[in-house]
Short mmCIF file of all heavy atoms in Angstrom, two decimals:
data_model
loop_
_atom_site.label_atom_id
_atom_site.label_comp_id
_atom_site.label_asym_id
_atom_site.label_seq_id
_atom_site.Cartn_x
_atom_site.Cartn_y
_atom_site.Cartn_z
N ALA A 241 3.73 44.23 32.77
CA ALA A 241 4.24 43.39 33.91
C ALA A 241 4.83 44.13 34.98
O ALA A 241 5.48 45.22 34.88
CB ALA A 241 5.28 42.47 33.38
N GLY A 242 4.57 43.74 36.23
CA GLY A 242 5.10 44.31 37.44
C GLY A 242 6.39 43.43 37.85
O GLY A 242 6.85 42.60 37.05
N PRO A 243 6.93 43.67 38.96
CA PRO A 243 8.31 43.17 39.48
C PRO A 243 8.19 41.56 39.51
O PRO A 243 9.18 40.96 39.70
CB PRO A 243 8.55 43.90 40.59
CG PRO A 243 7.29 44.48 41.12
CD PRO A 243 6.43 44.73 39.98
N THR A 244 6.96 41.19 39.83
CA THR A 244 6.88 39.60 40.13
C THR A 244 6.86 38.81 38.91
O THR A 244 6.59 37.49 38.85
CB THR A 244 5.65 39.34 40.81
OG1 THR A 244 4.39 39.76 40.21
CG2 THR A 244 5.81 40.10 42.36
N ILE A 245 6.74 39.38 37.76
CA ILE A 245 6.68 38.56 36.37
C ILE A 245 8.16 38.42 35.76
O ILE A 245 8.85 39.55 35.60
CB ILE A 245 5.82 39.38 35.38
CG1 ILE A 245 4.40 39.89 36.19
CG2 ILE A 245 5.54 38.51 34.15
CD1 ILE A 245 3.70 38.81 36.66
N THR A 246 8.39 37.27 35.39
CA THR A 246 9.76 36.96 34.81
C THR A 246 9.53 36.41 33.46
O THR A 246 8.75 35.48 33.21
CB THR A 246 10.51 35.91 35.74
OG1 THR A 246 10.72 36.41 37.09
CG2 THR A 246 11.83 35.68 35.02
N PHE A 247 10.18 36.98 32.44
CA PHE A 247 10.08 36.47 30.97
C PHE A 247 11.35 35.86 30.74
O PHE A 247 12.58 36.31 30.82
CB PHE A 247 9.97 37.77 30.11
CG PHE A 247 8.60 38.42 30.10
CD1 PHE A 247 8.48 39.40 31.11
CD2 PHE A 247 7.62 38.05 29.32
CE1 PHE A 247 7.14 40.00 31.22
CE2 PHE A 247 6.35 38.66 29.32
CZ PHE A 247 6.18 39.66 30.25
N LEU A 248 11.24 34.50 30.28
CA LEU A 248 12.44 33.69 29.93
C LEU A 248 12.62 33.58 28.45
O LEU A 248 13.59 32.92 28.08
CB LEU A 248 12.36 32.32 30.65
CG LEU A 248 12.24 32.17 32.17
CD1 LEU A 248 12.22 30.70 32.65
CD2 LEU A 248 13.41 32.82 32.74
N GLY A 249 11.70 34.14 27.63
CA GLY A 249 11.81 33.85 26.20
C GLY A 249 11.52 32.42 25.83
O GLY A 249 10.89 31.67 26.44
N ARG A 250 12.20 32.12 24.57
CA ARG A 250 11.97 30.73 24.14
C ARG A 250 13.11 29.87 25.01
O ARG A 250 14.36 29.66 24.59
CB ARG A 250 12.44 30.63 22.69
CG ARG A 250 12.28 29.27 22.05
CD ARG A 250 12.52 29.16 20.51
NE ARG A 250 11.54 29.98 19.76
CZ ARG A 250 11.52 30.05 18.49
NH1 ARG A 250 12.50 29.55 17.82
NH2 ARG A 250 10.53 30.77 17.94
N ALA A 251 12.64 29.18 25.96
CA ALA A 251 13.56 28.45 26.97
C ALA A 251 13.84 27.04 26.26
O ALA A 251 13.02 26.43 25.54
CB ALA A 251 12.80 28.21 28.21
N PRO A 252 15.10 26.67 26.42
CA PRO A 252 15.33 25.31 26.01
C PRO A 252 14.68 24.21 26.75
O PRO A 252 14.06 24.44 27.78
CB PRO A 252 16.90 25.10 26.33
CG PRO A 252 17.20 26.17 27.27
CD PRO A 252 16.25 27.32 27.08
#
Side-chain angles (χ1 to χ4, degrees):
T244 60
I245 313 299
T246 302
F247 290 84
L248 296 182
R250 182 180 292 179

